Amino acid sequence: MNTPVPGCDADAARAPGQVVLVLQGGGALGAYQLGVYQAMHEAGLEPDWVIGTSIGAINGAIIAGNPPGQRLERLRQFWQRMERNALGVTSLPRSVANALTIGQGIPAFFEPNPTGWWNPDAKVGVEHASFYETGPLRATLEQLIDYDYLNHQQPRFTVGAVNARSGAMRYFDSSRDVLTADHVMASGALPPAFPAVRIDGEPYWDGGIYSNTPIEAVLDDEPRRSAVIFSVQVWNPDGPEPQSILDVLDKQKEIQYASRASHIEQQRKLHRLRHVIRELSLRLPPEVAALPEVRDLASWGCGTTMHVLSLVAPRIGDEDHTKDIDFSSAGIGARWQAGYAQAQRMIAARPWDSEVDLIEGVAIHSLPPPAAA
């Protein structure tokens, strides 16, 4: 797509290959993703492919399920609804707002499931075994997402969910599946808070409990295409040693749900092997390269270039282990602005213009340090 919006620098919109937006799960931390998308939108970098998990699946579905000119407004509408707690106000202190969220839910998102609270051992079935019900979220998504548009694959849309019976990860993809609210809600069904969602007869939970940054969906795609990948990470595990139990709870969440450097490195090595196979196949004598069995082996090769733009949300103020339920107006606004500022810096740096080693094929770019004042 890569179509510049009016008034933007057209050169900034040019990227080598498809533009992919990969969005982590993280509850209220997903407000950071809005700022990233806003910066992309203003630079004319509309995604060709959106991949999301949990809150990333919800934000991604709103992006993929609306024309470019409506996406930011729909995102604003969703997050404005998230700010409204059970009292209908948006200006309560964070601790009070979080307590209301835990006790009474968010009217446009989830509401308490009395059975779950009063008798956690009740055999109610996987679709009801949760502390909250998510019927309000379904209604919200139906109002903000055009599923006909989403399934037109402009952009392509993928959500990750894990089978609650087998534990297997599954990616639902608009290029081969007809996606509905069920798929988006399944990707965000974090147990035990939210109930599993049944698709094709199988129950699914939040894909984040298996892989919270599903960048492998891009690098394992067939056929692969060169890409600029905005990897938007709302969990930041790098920080000081925890000093209290509350600090430990915060750090444990950060580590559990953060992007795994080892996973990305493994994908990088696999892509390098694909490049090695391609280079070796190009050096074969023509009569050998033409053999059917050699052509089959050579098909494992790849010559694509992947620029991974790693955007990691900074810590905001005195946040603690409850930050993923901090749907306060101040919290959402601060994370939105942080995502916007960091993505603007990344786009201005244009890391996709840098050369990538012919054999490596994958370049991982971190945000450059802020300019000195």
Side-chain angles (χ1 to χ4, degrees):
M1 297 171 79
N2 301 340
T3 303
V5 294
C8 82
D9 179 359
D11 287 338
R14 298 195 184 105
Q18 63 179 337
V19 175
V20 184
L21 180 59
V22 181
L23 304 173
Q24 269 190 350
L29 305 182
Y32 175 83
Q33 299 166 354
L34 278 63
V36 173
Y37 172 71
Q38 181 179 356
M40 293 175 63
H41 176 77
E42 291 178 358
L45 286 165
E46 291 294 342
D48 299 294
W49 187 2
V50 182
I51 306 171
T53 299
S54 197
I55 194 66
I58 293 173
N59 283 335
I62 294 172
I63 292 169
N66 286 284
Q70 297 178 12
R71 291 170 182 169
L72 275 175
E73 179 56 32
R74 290 287 187 269
L75 287 168
R76 287 192 181 96
Q77 290 175 11
F78 175 81
W79 284 86
Q80 285 170 353
R81 296 182 190 192
M82 296 304 101
E83 293 176 8
R84 299 191 182 96
N85 51 51
L87 297 181
V89 297
T90 62
S91 58
L92 292 172
R94 185 180 65 188
S95 59
V96 177
N98 288 355
L100 275 174
T101 297
I102 293 170
Q104 300 183 38
I106 295 174
F109 195 165
F110 58 91
E111 58 192 6
N113 174 13
T115 301
W117 287 99
W118 288 107
N119 185 9
D121 194 40
K123 307 303 181 184
V124 294
V126 70
E127 293 168 277
H128 301 284
S130 62
F131 289 113
Y132 302 94
E133 296 287 353
T134 52
L137 175 61
R138 181 180 297 274
T140 298
L141 296 180
E142 294 289 353
Q143 293 171 12
L144 299 178
I145 298 169
D146 181 340
Y147 289 98
D148 288 336
Y149 187 93
L150 183 149
N151 284 296
H152 284 160
Q153 304 174 43
Q154 296 179 341
R156 178 180 175 185
F157 180 55
T158 302
V159 295
V162 64
N163 191 303
R165 180 186 57 79
S166 69
M169 184 70 171
R170 179 173 175 182
Y171 289 109
F172 297 96
D173 193 302
S174 64
S175 69
R176 59 178 179 266
D177 305 303
V178 177
L179 301 187
T180 67
D182 285 342
H183 299 86
V184 181
M185 293 179 65
S187 186
L190 182 65
F194 302 146
V197 177
R198 198 171 294 277
I199 300 172
D200 298 332
E202 293 286 336
Y204 286 92
W205 277 330
D206 191 318
I209 64 177
Y210 187 100
S211 176
N212 201 34
T213 309
I215 198 169
E216 64 267 18
V218 184
L219 298 179
D220 288 340
D221 192 38
E222 290 287 352
R224 273 173 292 280
R225 296 171 53 196
S226 293
V228 172
I229 305 166
F230 284 79
S231 179
V232 186
Q233 302 161 46
V234 298
W235 296 97
N236 187 349
D238 186 19
E241 294 181 1
Q243 300 298 315
S244 68
I245 291 178
L246 294 182
D247 289 345
V248 168
L249 290 172
D250 184 32
K251 177 65 76 171
Q252 182 266 335
K253 275 188 178 181
E254 293 280 11
I255 294 173
Q256 179 178 357
Y257 293 115
S259 175
R260 298 286 186 272
S262 60
H263 292 180
I264 295 176
E265 186 58 29
Q266 182 182 32
Q267 286 290 332
R268 190 176 188 174
K269 289 178 179 178
L270 285 173
H271 204 64
R272 187 178 192 276
L273 286 174
R274 296 180 184 117
H275 276 234
V276 169
I277 292 170
R278 179 177 183 272
E279 290 303 308
L280 288 174
S281 67
L282 293 175
R283 286 163 171 74
L284 294 174
E287 64 275 13
V288 176
L291 294 173
E293 60 270 29
V294 175
R295 292 174 61 185
D296 182 59
L297 291 171
S299 69
W300 290 89
C302 177
T304 59
T305 298
M306 306 290 184
H307 290 274
V308 179
L309 280 51
S310 179
L311 286 161
V312 183
R315 287 178 171 79
I316 304 296
D318 59 345
E319 62 185 21
D320 56 24
H321 69 288
T322 67
K323 59 192 172 189
D324 53 337
I325 61 168
D326 176 19
F327 287 95
S328 67
S329 178
I332 290 173
R335 293 187 172 90
W336 188 326
Q337 183 57 41
Y340 181 65
Q342 291 194 328
Q344 279 189 316
R345 289 174 54 209
M346 181 68 84
I347 292 169
R350 298 177 60 84
W352 54 82
D353 287 340
S354 61
E355 292 188 9
V356 178
D357 186 284
L358 182 65
I359 296 299
E360 291 295 335
V362 174
I364 300 175
H365 307 281
S366 298
L367 197 64

